[in-house]
Amino acid sequence: MAYCKVRQAEIYYEDLGEGKPILMIHGYSPDHRLMSGCMEPIFTKREGWRRIYIDLPGMGLTKEYNEISSSDEMLDAVLEFIQAVIPNQEYVIAGESYGGYIARGIIEKHQEQILGAAFICPLIIPLPENRTVEIHKIMRTDEKFIENLSKGELEDFRTNNIVLDEYTWLRYNKEILSGCKIGDEKFLNKVKNKYGFSFKIDQSDFIKPSVFLLGRQDSSVGYKDALDIANKYPRGTFAVLDMAGHNLQIEQPQLFSTLLNEWLDRIEEFQNYT
């Protein structure tokens, strides 16, 4: 638990473990708990990894960010954070949703230092009207459990998840809603006016081990747009999971864990042979 001062923000982060750094970047509106909730269980059985969970500007406990007004500046803040906390080191990145978009910006700027990348339901196309997304559809419901939720809770739960049961609710509430409730809505709406980078990304192939975990029922960012950039990730696993929406890591926890562990295995092997 610490703060890192960069030009346009004081970034809150949690720094766990020792070894090769892996930077975790959450999506738009939640905070670092979105990433720590799904990633920390993976490292209970893996050593040699230093996990760095950040709160992006306008989210979580990060402070002094009001001068930021675009995704370009969000990216600059993250790049400055990287240089301050793991200066001139090789590292790995994992990003969820908007965090995956920021991760692609990092790759465009600092590809040589990055040993691997994981993308969880990544935002590929910034403007919603240009995305190819699925129609939201509830796939499974525990009718008895949802009777315990308030009208507001149920409405939110139904809007953002496709599996409605106790396990999904408890994790969704703890890892996602908890962060959304403290996000700076006014600031987040301001940045959405300049949500896309002003420069092109995916301009060269990323030849390190990567993984794209995509929800077959993701009505937020979809899965098809990610498949369109598959040729830019020649060492990438692209997995489209059924029974998974935009919160794939919660709705398909076993497959999530298996595929992330296999990706980390590939990174470790890649390092040993280079």
Side-chain angles (χ1 to χ4, degrees):
M1 297 175 64
Y3 277 92
C4 173
K5 181 75 171 71
V6 298
R7 276 182 306 131
Q8 291 185 302
E10 286 187 40
I11 295 179
Y12 174 84
Y13 68 103
E14 296 191 356
D15 199 335
L16 306 172
E18 297 179 350
K20 187 62 65 178
I22 175 168
L23 179 67
M24 315 286 193
I25 312 172
H26 61 81
Y28 212 70
S29 297
D31 62 17
H32 71 277
R33 288 172 286 185
L34 183 151
M35 295 299 289
S36 59
C38 64
M39 297 296 285
E40 276 307 290
I42 289 171
F43 294 98
T44 58
K45 297 179 181 178
R46 298 192 81 106
E47 295 182 350
W49 290 94
R50 176 187 175 190
R51 290 93 62 200
I52 302 169
Y53 297 94
I54 69 170
D55 280 349
L56 289 171
M59 293 160 267
L61 299 177
T62 287
K63 304 183 292 188
E64 307 298 330
Y65 50 76
N66 284 316
E67 290 184 9
I68 291 174
S69 60
S70 66
S71 286
D72 281 5
E73 292 173 344
M74 294 279 261
L75 174 62
D76 287 343
V78 175
L79 291 172
E80 289 179 34
F81 172 87
I82 291 168
Q83 186 56 34
V85 175
I86 45 173
N88 304 313
Q89 294 184 47
E90 293 180 318
Y91 59 94
V92 174
I93 49 176
E96 193 270 352
S97 193
Y98 180 73
Y101 186 62
I102 293 293
R104 284 160 62 219
I106 297 171
I107 288 171
E108 192 62 38
K109 302 286 188 180
H110 285 183
Q111 182 167 154
E112 292 303 312
Q113 292 174 251
I114 303 169
L115 296 171
F119 301 88
I120 306 160
C121 299
L123 170 68
I124 303 298
I125 297 176
L127 292 178
E129 57 266 31
N130 294 336
R131 302 172 194 166
T132 303
V133 303
E134 303 307 297
I135 296 172
H136 184 64
K137 182 181 179 182
I138 306 299
M139 301 295 287
R140 184 193 303 137
T141 303
D142 181 339
E143 297 289 352
K144 188 174 181 180
F145 169 71
I146 64 172
E147 290 176 358
N148 300 316
L149 301 178
S150 70
K151 184 178 179 180
E153 288 173 335
L154 180 57
E155 183 179 352
D156 181 89
F157 195 28
R158 288 182 59 86
T159 301
N160 293 294
N161 299 272
I162 66 159
V163 176
L164 308 183
D165 59 16
E166 184 175 15
Y167 174 84
T168 305
W169 168 256
L170 291 175
R171 285 193 59 186
Y172 175 64
N173 191 39
K174 180 179 180 181
E175 299 169 23
I176 299 176
L177 275 184
S178 57
C180 291
K181 288 175 180 176
I182 61 173
D184 185 339
E185 188 174 350
K186 183 178 179 181
F187 169 83
L188 294 174
N189 286 334
K190 177 181 70 172
V191 172
K192 276 199 169 180
N193 291 323
K194 295 182 179 178
Y195 206 44
F197 295 134
S198 64
F199 58 93
K200 291 182 178 180
I201 54 178
D202 308 317
Q203 293 301 290
S204 58
D205 292 354
F206 182 70
I207 61 171
K208 316 291 180 55
S210 59
V211 63
F212 284 72
L213 300 183
L214 312 169
R216 183 63 178 81
Q217 287 82 29
D218 189 334
S219 61
S220 180
V221 302
Y223 69 91
K224 294 176 182 176
D225 294 333
L227 299 179
D228 288 341
I229 62 170
N231 64 324
K232 294 293 184 179
Y233 293 82
R235 290 292 315 275
T237 291
F238 284 72
V240 182
L241 306 189
D242 186 33
M243 296 294 291
H246 196 53
N247 298 322
L248 172 152
Q249 72 280 11
I250 296 174
E251 292 169 333
Q252 283 283 14
Q254 291 177 314
L255 281 172
F256 176 83
S257 178
T258 297
L259 289 163
L260 262 292
N261 272 299
E262 190 277 337
W263 166 66
L264 291 168
D265 289 343
R266 285 190 286 129
I267 291 174
E268 291 171 356
E269 182 181 22
F270 181 81
Q271 287 183 258
N272 291 334
Y273 284 91
T274 54

